[in-house]
Amino acid sequence: MEPADAVRLLDPEIARALSGFTIGTIDAAMLSRLRVAPRPSLGTTDFVERIDDLAPPNVPVRVHRPRDVQGLRPGILSIHGGGFVLGSYDTDDEQFERWCPDLGVIGVSVDYRLAPETPYPGAIDDCYAALRWLHENATALGVDAARIGVCGTSAGGGLAAALALMARDRGDLPLAFQLLEAPMLDDRQRTPSSRLTDLLIWSKETNEFAWRSYLGDLYGTGEVPRYAAPARATDLGFLPPAFVSVGSVDGFRDECVDYALRLNQAGTPTELHVYPGAPHGYQLAPESAVARQGRRDADEWLCRHVR
């Protein structure tokens, strides 16, 4: 694929919706400006109750509960995106505003520490601490500990995949499923899609900055562990069932497709969706046909795995 194809292959509806949207290449200077943006939160609503808490030693978590829930319900640990350098758990509020009442689940969002101030393994350690807290407090939260899964988008998807690997290897905190939307999995940027230019939302230059920020001195070496970049994992067996989705005009396309294929080859039931014409962050055009299809696919897969 030639670099110019990145623009030519965009879904026309998404291209129109995102025509005025640009982040530019994120670097240290821009990062400081982006972080001062307001952090929107829905707060407690008519459908969902929200309580903020701390998982030991000091990891902020937010619990999302459907009102009038009865009995023990499935739990979902959600990990936000932002390339390891941006974002907060506030961005999960809208997602659980749908999932809690529609699927009858209880959500827990984790506000992990960001790079470059806290490089690897800070973020994954925080996510594991949140998962441990969710398991240890499952009954009090109204969660069925046998039905706890993990989800994430972009860097959050990469952290969710890493968390599944870590939970499997340590054997103390079982996971029932993993939902990975455009997960950020591979620091090496060797695939054709990772080298595309003119990518919307998340360019190859921004991707390199994000990985350098997260990996620190590990970046560019052969010592990057699978818990930092799950694409480096060689054993993908005995993991929870997975949902992997990505756009065809996303720099992460090839690493996501390869990861899903290898999950299946290792015997891990995995459903893969590649959305034609969709760039990274296509959800920013929420009313587009592709974004609506992506929500339906994820919701339907989740519905089957939280029963």
Side-chain angles (χ1 to χ4, degrees):
M1 180 185 294
E2 295 297 326
D5 288 345
V7 172
R8 182 177 62 80
L9 293 178
L10 284 175
D11 175 88
E13 186 180 18
I14 293 178
R16 288 193 298 272
L18 299 181
S19 61
F21 186 92
T22 180
I23 294 178
T25 300
I26 296 177
D27 55 19
M30 180 176 284
L31 187 63
S32 64
R33 295 195 296 272
L34 290 172
R35 284 184 176 175
V36 300
R39 293 171 48 157
S41 174
L42 292 176
T44 296
T45 70
D46 291 340
F47 303 103
V48 178
E49 298 174 321
R50 293 186 173 85
I51 300 173
D52 289 345
D53 209 327
L54 287 174
N58 193 35
V59 181
V61 292
R62 174 169 294 167
V63 181
H64 310 253
R65 290 174 49 87
R67 291 189 178 276
D68 303 320
V69 66
Q70 299 295 323
L72 297 180
R73 306 302 306 162
I76 301 177
L77 180 71
S78 182
I79 307 173
H80 70 79
F84 308 115
V85 298
L86 288 168
S88 77
Y89 63 0
D90 295 315
T91 56
D92 287 340
D93 287 3
E94 185 174 356
Q95 172 178 268
F96 283 116
E97 188 70 10
R98 290 191 301 109
W99 283 353
C100 286
D102 292 351
L103 303 179
V105 301
I106 293 173
V108 173
S109 303
V110 53
D111 212 24
Y112 57 88
R113 289 168 292 171
L114 299 175
E117 294 84 356
T118 305
Y120 173 84
I124 189 62
D125 284 350
D126 289 352
C127 293
Y128 202 82
L131 179 61
R132 181 186 299 111
W133 179 86
L134 175 52
H135 269 278
E136 291 176 348
N137 294 276
T139 301
L141 294 170
V143 171
D144 180 354
R147 292 188 290 168
I148 293 175
V150 63
C151 76
T153 299
S154 192
L159 286 166
L163 191 61
L165 291 167
M166 186 176 285
R168 178 202 63 184
D169 295 345
R170 294 183 179 180
D172 56 348
L173 302 175
L175 284 172
F177 56 85
Q178 51 180 325
L179 188 151
L180 315 175
E181 297 191 273
M184 187 173 175
L185 301 166
D186 197 342
D187 62 294
R188 293 165 291 192
Q189 295 188 273
R190 294 175 179 172
T191 66
S193 67
S194 73
R195 295 192 294 266
L196 288 172
T197 60
D198 299 323
L199 290 168
L200 291 183
I201 311 301
W202 199 254
S203 68
K204 64 176 184 176
E205 293 81 12
T206 292
N207 197 45
E208 180 178 334
F209 169 78
W211 277 114
R212 284 184 180 276
S213 297
Y214 184 50
L215 295 178
D217 292 340
L218 289 171
Y219 184 81
T221 74
E223 306 302 317
V224 176
R226 60 187 178 276
Y227 303 141
R232 290 178 176 261
T234 57
D235 178 8
L236 298 182
F238 301 101
L239 289 166
F243 174 100
V244 181
S245 67
V246 68
S248 69
V249 199
D250 189 327
F252 298 160
R253 181 197 64 210
D254 297 343
E255 64 201 64
C256 292
V257 170
D258 178 70
Y259 197 73
L261 288 174
R262 292 197 295 121
L263 283 168
N264 273 312
Q265 290 163 356
T268 297
T270 302
E271 183 171 314
L272 170 64
H273 294 264
V274 180
Y275 297 111
H280 195 71
Y282 67 89
Q283 298 90 343
L284 291 167
E287 299 309 314
S288 65
V290 173
R292 293 197 303 271
Q293 183 65 54
R295 288 195 299 272
R296 284 196 299 271
D297 290 339
D299 290 358
E300 289 172 3
W301 185 89
L302 263 183
C303 188
R304 296 196 301 272
H305 286 81
V306 299
R307 291 176 178 170

